[in-house]
Amino acid sequence: MSDQSPVDAPPKHTTDADESPHPFPANEVPNQSSSSGPRRYIYTQADMEHFRHSSARKELLSFVTAMGRGLTNKAGASSAASSSALPPTPHNYDPARPLRYLTPALASLHGSLSCMARTWMDADHPDGIPPDRKAKARFGNPAFRTWHARLVQRSYGIVKCCLDCHRGNCERSSEKDELEVLVECSRNGYRAASTDGSHELPAVSSNSNEQETIEELRAYLHDAFGHPIRIDYGTGHESSFVVFLLALCKIGCFAWMSRHKDDTNDIKSNPTPSPAPPIISRASLALFHAYLSVTRGLQRDYMLEPAGSHGVWGLDDYHCIPFYVGACQMVAREQWQQHQLKEQRTSAEGALEQTTLEKEESDGDVAPIHPYLPDKALPDPKTASRPLINHNDNLEQWDPSIIHNRHVLETHRQTYLYLSCIHFIQEIKPNVPFFESSPMLNDISSLGNWNKVSSGLLRLYEGEVLDKLPVVQHFVFGKIFCANWSPSRKGPLEAPQWTFINGPMGDECIAPWAYGNNSINEDPQGDGSLHRRASSGSSLGGIPPTRAPWAK
């Protein structure tokens, strides 16, 4: 990696618990028995009501909120102004320096996601899994099942590399040391995702608590990229990735591990202060850029079917959270503009006052400043107080309608997440008018400012994702992301072996595989009902013939 100036190097990390309001309790891990690993807790509406009032939902929603609001200066508005508060700036993500705001554990995850995006789907790479070109289905290329099997196979190495990098790197004495550590951890994560089995890194021997942590994190990661049987993807899978990040945050991976904690192997036994929302948001923004590089490749190459029947509630076919985080990034850009304009005015007024004072103290030979003539001694307001960070856009006002400007989308999509999402929609649906392919996003573009967009999208995620049983019923819970209620069932509901025809009280229809090879000649009810159904004309063990409504 090329040398970076101090302003581009990773910022100093702080563990001050009073830096800003915590988005969720710090590393509270209840003593919950979970010997079988993470499992489902939501099956019925009764379970759904428990989830709505649970600490798990509160933590998840608070974390998602912090992912976006931490980009703006509202995150620290309720707390006293601290010297460590970062100025408003749109440089929350730089595509040329994606590791800038990460920690060793998150840099390792970023490297693993980069490997998955670059090699796992590349047909020209020896490790690539190209889609099956012979598959004729409109959605769901079966090669995705092979891809997901690889994820399951290599997830142990990916997660363990994150924990090893977290545990093996304490706070560094200089920013240069931090950057070198992040680059090395990213390379280790890349290698962990490119090799089968556990990676080979010098690490402390694992104990039972660490194995439980790894298995729980693996379960969240497996659900974050789509379902291997249905071959679909939706906001539930996206939320599983957020749960994965939340779990990493709760065990301290969003902060550099302190030196006095290096003597123990048990990560969860060392509670760390909850990181400030700006730390969460900047790290999540970089990780979501890498995560979307993977999921977009899966959606494009394997044609994953959009999960659910609403097209993710009309926003786009798959995602919701990137739009919210991206809208918050646009709010941060507006605040940065206001910050820069204020500095320019202050600088110009200060220069004018200084020049006036110097002229008053002179011999009087210099003519007074004419109010209608330019004075070369005064700085040009357009060039005064240049931004300290080299940014690739100007001070143009971007309201939500900017998404219809193709030049802006092409130029700035790598920096701004919202523009990246819009660009991807137009890329995969090039010949469809935007108001037809994404009517809700088209309506959102008519709003007056990005604050309304971000707050509305957060309400959309809460109401149409976290409060919908078809989405959250697939969540799994363990010891880190835990459920505090007893589920209505001990295990998943098995598929019924028979159903009814001719209405709820009609004759039962037995599946031919329900009772083995001789099921056709058996009568489980003992009342001759099976033989009555068999005599009705079915040729498959009592299953009545299926006719289309238009069949004659």
Side-chain angles (χ1 to χ4, degrees), residues 450-472:
W450 289 104
N451 274 312
K452 292 183 178 179
V453 176
S454 62
S455 59
L457 291 176
L458 182 61
R459 291 195 301 270
L460 179 73
Y461 177 76
E462 180 180 7
E464 300 296 345
V465 178
L466 293 185
D467 287 344
K468 296 298 182 181
L469 177 61
V471 179
V472 301

Side-chain angles (χ1 to χ4, degrees), residues 419-464:
L419 301 183
S420 175
C421 294
I422 300 297
H423 181 270
F424 182 70
I425 295 174
Q426 296 183 353
E427 184 181 65
I428 62 176
K429 301 177 181 179
N431 299 321
V432 182
F434 189 73
F435 68 88
E436 291 184 3
S437 65
S438 306
M440 181 177 289
L441 290 172
N442 186 70
D443 293 341
I444 290 174
S445 68
S446 63
L447 295 179
N449 57 72
W450 289 104
N451 274 312
K452 292 183 178 179
V453 176
S454 62
S455 59
L457 291 176
L458 182 61
R459 291 195 301 270
L460 179 73
Y461 177 76
E462 180 180 7
E464 300 296 345

Side-chain angles (χ1 to χ4, degrees), residues 12 33 44 62 134 155 169 171 185 198 244 246 294 334 375 382 391 456 478 490 496 507 512 537 546:
K12 283 293 183 182
S33 176
T44 64
S62 297
K134 297 181 181 180
S155 61
N169 297 279
E171 293 178 289
C185 289
S198 61
F244 179 74
L246 170 61
V294 181
E334 290 180 346
D375 193 328
K382 295 183 179 181
H391 191 46
K490 294 184 178 180
D507 295 330
T546 301

Side-chain angles (χ1 to χ4, degrees), residues 144-156:
F144 173 71
R145 296 188 176 120
T146 306
W147 188 97
H148 197 276
R150 171 176 294 176
L151 172 66
V152 175
Q153 183 181 24
R154 299 184 181 181
S155 61
Y156 183 89

Side-chain angles (χ1 to χ4, degrees), residues 223-234:
D223 292 340
F225 296 93
H227 197 280
I229 305 301
R230 299 190 302 266
I231 316 183
D232 63 359
Y233 178 93

Side-chain angles (χ1 to χ4, degrees), residues 103-112 154-169 182-195 197-203 206 210 214 217-218 244 248 253 267:
T103 61
L106 302 183
S108 173
L109 175 61
H110 189 278
S112 296
R154 299 184 181 181
S155 61
Y156 183 89
I158 293 173
V159 173
K160 193 172 188 301
C161 184
C162 291
L163 300 185
D164 287 346
C165 288
H166 171 62
R167 187 174 42 238
N169 297 279
L182 295 179
V183 172
E184 182 62 26
C185 289
S186 178
R187 291 171 180 170
N188 290 339
Y190 192 99
R191 287 196 297 267
S194 61
T195 56
S198 61
H199 63 293
E200 298 179 359
L201 284 176
S206 301
E210 180 183 345
I214 292 176
L217 292 174
R218 289 182 68 199
F244 179 74
L248 289 177
C253 290
I267 296 177

Side-chain angles (χ1 to χ4, degrees), residues 344-361 369 375 377-379:
Q344 289 180 3
R345 288 194 297 267
T346 302
S347 177
E349 292 172 358
L352 178 61
E353 182 179 352
Q354 180 65 24
T355 304
T356 304
L357 181 61
E358 291 178 355
K359 290 183 178 298
E360 290 177 352
E361 294 177 352
I369 301 176
D375 193 328
L378 296 180

